[in-house]
């Protein structure tokens, strides 16, 4: 297993290109299950989550070819319908094969995704949406099972949680409704840019969807979809991570290949912290002051502040001047990074779904453990401003969602190296 060693003190500066969006490409890959022809995806990021979903899709009989950043997927109407626990449990997003399977094949046997480090993460709203369309999904032996065996039907359905709309429940319901008989009215749809990308991809495949980008979608079901060529947009969360890195190291980072309209909440936050943020049609630039100022954030559904950037901005706050308050309104338990930041000398107190962050004059390098994807990125950022060396273990989390993060941070002037983690038995032998 690899670890990252970050040496603090360098400013990040320069240009970096955002990779294709992880959260956009995953549901669009699943949507290939719906099409009669070949779906060609361009600008596909080279990530472990993409490889995991490709494995699941192969088990479902999808023929997949990868050539650089181009992925070709072809799925027959008939085929196996089981997504097994071993794969689904490594990545929650794999639950988005459920909607396409029941819609096109009339059967599904998809492992319940299980919990994750930042909470229970139920799938009740996925089931609510799909069952309203007649999928008849039940939970048995840890699996979500459907053997409806016929075409789904349109319905009027409201999908959402007490935290607001659900991104992947919207994706699942939408993907099923496009092949259902009749019209579906989907209310309280998530408006995250990745849902819009999925909507556009489905439209390119022949789906009839009205109200794209809004909270109410009207879907006229069609009998079949065809192949299409789709280019995946730049990853706003990856871009945001680099921009936070530029701002908090007193650096100057420009990220190319993104829609700055996807990062307005981050722009506001970094601006309030004293960074200068500018943008053009497909780039955004953050220039940091010598030291950032404190501010408050609350994570919210898009266009509010994204929960996937909460850990990174909290890291910036932990070295800013003054006291910041972070309120997590999407995943109230998503604070695993706090304990690791404390190891570096951060001054953070957690109070329910809030963290009170007192900016420390300095952080000092230590060994820390990556707990989830975005928390790992936050620890890399922390290492960049901590004195001495920070060793981040379990970096496989970061490889799930960031393409070659160590090399790209090095290109911006940061000092990060990747090493194999010495095995415990070996160190015991030496001892
Ligand atoms: C997606 C993103 C993830 C991001 C999250 C919120 C992907 C692959 N993942 O996850 O990176 O952090 O959106 O923007 O796109 N909930 C329920 N019942 C459900 C579904 C969700 O109670 O059936 C709850 C969740 O536990 C959470 C909230 O609703 O508290 C929002 O979650 P949701 O939008 O569904 O997140 P995901 O789609 O899983």
């Amino acid at each position: 297993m690899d670890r990252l060693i970050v040496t603090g003190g360098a400013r990040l500066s320069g240009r970096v290109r955002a990779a294709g969006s992880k959260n956009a490409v995953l549901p669009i890959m699943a949507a290939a299950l719906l099409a009669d022809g070949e779906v060609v995806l361009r600008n596909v990021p080279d990530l472990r989550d993409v490889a995991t979903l490709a494995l699941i899709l192969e088990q479902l009989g999808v023929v997949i070819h990868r050539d650089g950043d181009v992925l070709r997927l072809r799925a027959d109407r008939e085929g196996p319908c089981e997504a097994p626990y071993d794969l689904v449990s490594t990545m929650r997003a794999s639950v988005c094969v459920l909607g396409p399977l029941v819609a096109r094949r009339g059967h599904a046997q998809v492992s319940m995704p299980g919990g994750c480090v930042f909470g229970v993460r139920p799938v009740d709203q996925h089931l609510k949406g799909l069952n309203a369309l007649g999928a008849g999904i039940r939970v048995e032996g840890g699996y979500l099972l459907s053997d409806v065996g016929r075409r789904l039907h349109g319905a009027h359905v409201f999908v959402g949680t007490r935290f607001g709309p659900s991104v992947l429940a919207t994706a699942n319901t939408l993907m099923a409704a496009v092949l259902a008989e009749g019209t579906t009215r989907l209310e309280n749809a998530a408006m995250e840019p990745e849902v819009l990308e999925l909507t556009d991809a489905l439209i390119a495949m022949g789906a009839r969807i009205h109200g794209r980008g809004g909270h109410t979608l009207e879907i006229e079901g069609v009998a079949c979809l065809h192949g299409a060529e789709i280019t995946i947009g730049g990853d706003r969360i990856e871009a945001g991570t680099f921009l936070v890195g530029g701002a908090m190291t007193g650096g100057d980072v420009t990220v190319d290949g993104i829609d700055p309209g996807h990062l307005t909440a981050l722009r506001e936050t970094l601006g309030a912290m004293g960074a200068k943020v500018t943008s053009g049609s497909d780039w955004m630039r953050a220039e940091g002051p010598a030291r950032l100022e404190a501010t408050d954030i609350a994570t919210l559904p898009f266009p509010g502040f994204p929960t996937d950037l909460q850990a990174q901005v909290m890291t910036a706050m932990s070295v800013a001047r003054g006291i910041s308050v972070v309120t997590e309104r999407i995943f109230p338990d998503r604070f695993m990074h706090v304990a690791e930041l404390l190891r570096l000398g951060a001054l953070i107190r957690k109070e329910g779904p809030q963290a009170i962050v007192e900016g420390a004059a300095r952080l000092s390098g230590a060994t820390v453990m990556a707990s989830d994807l975005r928390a790992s990125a936050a620890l890399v950022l922390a290492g960049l401003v901590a004195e001495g060396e920070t060793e981040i273990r379990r970096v496989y989390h970061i490889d799930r969602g960031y393409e070659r993060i160590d090399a790209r941070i090095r290109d911006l002037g940061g000092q990060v190296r990747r090493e194999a983690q010495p095995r415990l038995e070996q160190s015991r032998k030496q001892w």
Side-chain angles (χ1 to χ4, degrees):
M1 201 182 295
D2 287 350
R3 59 181 175 171
L4 291 180
I5 315 277
V6 186
T7 307
R11 293 174 171 197
L12 295 192
S13 80
R15 296 191 92 101
V16 59
R17 193 169 180 82
S21 161
K22 171 182 90 72
N23 286 355
V25 77
L26 296 175
I28 294 175
M29 284 170 71
L33 276 166
L34 295 164
D36 285 343
E38 186 178 63
V39 174
V40 182
L41 306 182
R42 302 189 185 281
N43 198 31
V44 174
D46 185 11
L47 302 174
R48 232 166 50 99
D49 273 7
V50 169
T52 304
L53 185 57
L55 273 178
I56 293 173
L57 291 172
E58 274 182 347
Q59 298 219 349
L60 297 172
V62 182
V63 178
I64 307 183
H65 294 288
R66 178 159 197 152
D67 182 10
D69 69 351
V70 179
L71 205 59
R72 294 172 187 278
L73 306 99
R74 185 182 282 274
D76 286 336
R77 185 169 288 268
E78 304 297 322
C81 294
E82 187 190 348
Y85 175 76
D86 286 346
L87 288 171
V88 174
S89 60
T90 63
M91 187 185 67
R92 248 192 83 81
S94 45
V95 74
C96 61
V97 300
L98 186 61
L101 277 180
V102 283
R104 183 134 181 264
R105 294 184 175 166
H107 295 274
Q109 189 178 348
V110 177
S111 172
M112 280 279 271
C116 73
V117 285
F118 47 93
V120 178
R121 295 186 81 178
V123 290
D124 55 309
Q125 295 306 307
H126 298 242
L127 303 197
K128 183 179 176 200
L130 296 173
N131 286 342
L133 305 177
I137 299 167
R138 59 190 192 280
V139 181
E140 225 174 89
Y143 276 76
L144 302 163
L145 297 182
S146 168
D147 44 19
V148 67
R150 59 173 185 278
R151 203 169 160 198
L152 301 178
H153 54 74
H156 184 162
V157 55
F158 179 102
V159 171
T161 72
R162 67 183 194 282
F163 307 104
S166 158
V167 173
L168 289 179
T170 300
N172 249 331
T173 311
L174 176 61
M175 288 190 282
V178 294
L179 285 187
E181 195 163 3
T183 302
T184 297
R185 192 177 159 84
L186 174 54
E187 286 196 42
N188 199 35
M191 287 173 54
E192 268 61 15
E194 296 77 18
V195 174
L196 183 57
E197 269 196 75
L198 172 66
T199 306
D200 286 344
L202 291 167
I203 291 172
M205 291 158 69
R208 296 209 191 115
I209 305 169
H210 309 283
R212 64 179 279 285
H215 274 313
T216 303
L217 299 175
E218 217 164 84
I219 305 129
E220 283 174 68
V222 294
C224 59
L225 295 186
H226 50 71
E229 286 207 19
I230 293 143
T231 301
I232 305 298
D235 194 310
R236 64 188 170 114
I237 304 301
E238 191 196 69
T241 304
F242 288 124
L243 292 168
V244 173
M248 68 186 277
T249 58
D252 179 358
V253 168
T254 302
V255 183
D256 292 306
I258 49 140
D259 180 343
H262 295 169
L263 285 166
T264 309
L266 178 71
R267 172 205 286 262
E268 292 292 311
T269 300
L270 291 180
M273 294 179 85
K276 182 176 168 204
V277 186
T278 46
S279 62
S281 61
D282 66 346
W283 57 267
M284 196 174 243
R285 174 180 181 184
E287 296 165 77
R291 191 175 182 194
L292 290 171
E293 302 288 336
T295 192
D296 299 338
I297 58 163
T299 64
L300 288 167
F302 186 80
F305 193 92
T307 175
D308 287 350
L309 283 172
Q310 181 255 104
Q312 298 88 317
V313 167
M314 189 190 294
T315 302
M317 291 166 168
S318 69
V319 288
R321 187 176 309 132
I323 294 176
S324 305
V325 179
V326 174
T327 307
E328 178 54 66
R329 290 200 208 277
I330 306 287
F331 294 107
D333 296 325
R334 192 176 197 174
F335 287 107
M336 298 299 288
H337 43 285
V338 170
E340 304 306 305
L341 290 173
L342 293 179
R343 289 182 60 75
L344 302 177
L347 307 169
I348 306 174
R349 193 157 46 88
K350 196 180 152 300
E351 297 270 357
Q354 290 192 310
I356 295 111
V357 188
E358 187 185 336
R362 58 182 282 272
L363 299 183
S364 69
T367 300
V368 289
M369 200 72 90
S371 56
D372 74 75
L373 170 53
R374 307 303 171 186
S376 321
L379 294 175
V380 174
L381 296 183
L384 290 172
V385 290
E387 284 172 16
E389 281 195 348
T390 296
E391 176 185 330
I392 302 155
R393 296 195 178 169
R394 289 201 195 149
V395 298
Y396 57 86
H397 285 295
I398 215 167
D399 296 332
R400 283 188 41 214
Y402 288 87
E403 205 179 275
R404 299 182 304 106
I405 191 163
D406 40 332
R408 288 157 84 211
I409 288 186
R410 271 197 305 277
D411 290 347
L412 293 172
Q415 292 190 52
V416 187
R417 61 182 201 276
R418 184 180 286 254
E419 288 179 358
Q421 172 78 49
R423 296 183 54 188
L424 191 59
E425 302 88 88
Q426 284 166 357
S427 32
R428 274 209 190 115
K429 258 185 222 153
Q430 285 161 7
W431 186 74

